[in-house]
Amino acid sequence: MQQITLRDFDGYWHLVRVKDLYNYGNTFHTTLYRSNAPYGETLHWTSAFDLLLYVGAYIGSFFVNFNVALLWWSIIINPLLHILTFLVLFWSLRDLVGDLRASIFGILFPFQLYLFGIFDMGVPDHHGAQIFLFSLFVALILKSIMNENSKWFSLCGIVGGISLWSGLENITIILIASAFFGLAWIIEGTNHEIKNLVFSLSLLLTTSLAMFF
């Protein structure tokens, strides 16, 4: 009988947590007793990627067993995020540099050799989702600046809150975006005051809601 071997423990722990979430429904359970017995091991991850795995597996469970759906969803999720990262980068840059240059950059950034390991098939690891969210957040920053429509600032704040929920290290790009929008407010005046408020409120509300999961 052939078995799939995970590359490291991160993917294994994610699958264990998703199964525990399915069986017990506790999103705040961070201690895994299958490691460091008898004390267990407390993980610092949030539940963002676990819920993404859970949702895909739950939808698949309408057709096959939940464990089978979780297995196959965990195999293909990061390659799908890899493709989505390319599409997001292409979408964000095409208005700036044209379709050809946007395609080249979209290929060069997410398809680097190192990132192939992160987005590899059969690696249910949260870093792929973080890279996708980072790319989407940067794309929305560009869209907000180019279009100057409040809806883009709102979407930017929502994705920023989700990316912060996914990993605290994403606070760096959020601080950069806040400084960038603040500088635009200083230069442009009251035109950007409401847009900064929309971005900040969207970020605050999304981050606050994420605390319940």
Side-chain angles (χ1 to χ4, degrees), residues 36 44 119 181:
N36 192 32
H44 64 278
F119 286 114
F181 293 152

Side-chain angles (χ1 to χ4, degrees), residues 9 54-55 94 113 134 156-157 183 193 204:
F9 289 111
Y54 177 85
V55 169
R94 61 183 305 185
L113 184 60
F134 173 85
C156 193
L183 182 62
E193 185 175 353
L204 175 63

Side-chain angles (χ1 to χ4, degrees), residues 35-84:
S35 175
N36 192 32
Y39 309 104
E41 185 171 0
T42 301
L43 302 178
H44 64 278
W45 304 325
T46 64
S47 59
F49 187 69
D50 297 329
L51 289 175
L52 185 59
L53 285 172
Y54 177 85
V55 169
Y58 185 79
I59 294 173
S61 68
F62 289 105
F63 307 97
V64 294
N65 178 272
F66 179 84
N67 290 342
V68 175
L70 176 60
L71 170 63
W72 286 107
W73 179 233
S74 68
I75 289 173
I76 65 173
I77 184 171
N78 269 344
L80 289 177
L81 289 172
H82 203 175
I83 296 171
L84 289 174

Side-chain angles (χ1 to χ4, degrees), residues 132-141 156 159-160 163 173-174 177 199:
F132 166 72
L133 288 170
F134 173 85
S135 301
L136 181 58
F137 186 55
V138 172
L140 289 173
I141 292 175
C156 193
V159 173
S163 66
I173 189 62
I174 292 174
F199 168 73

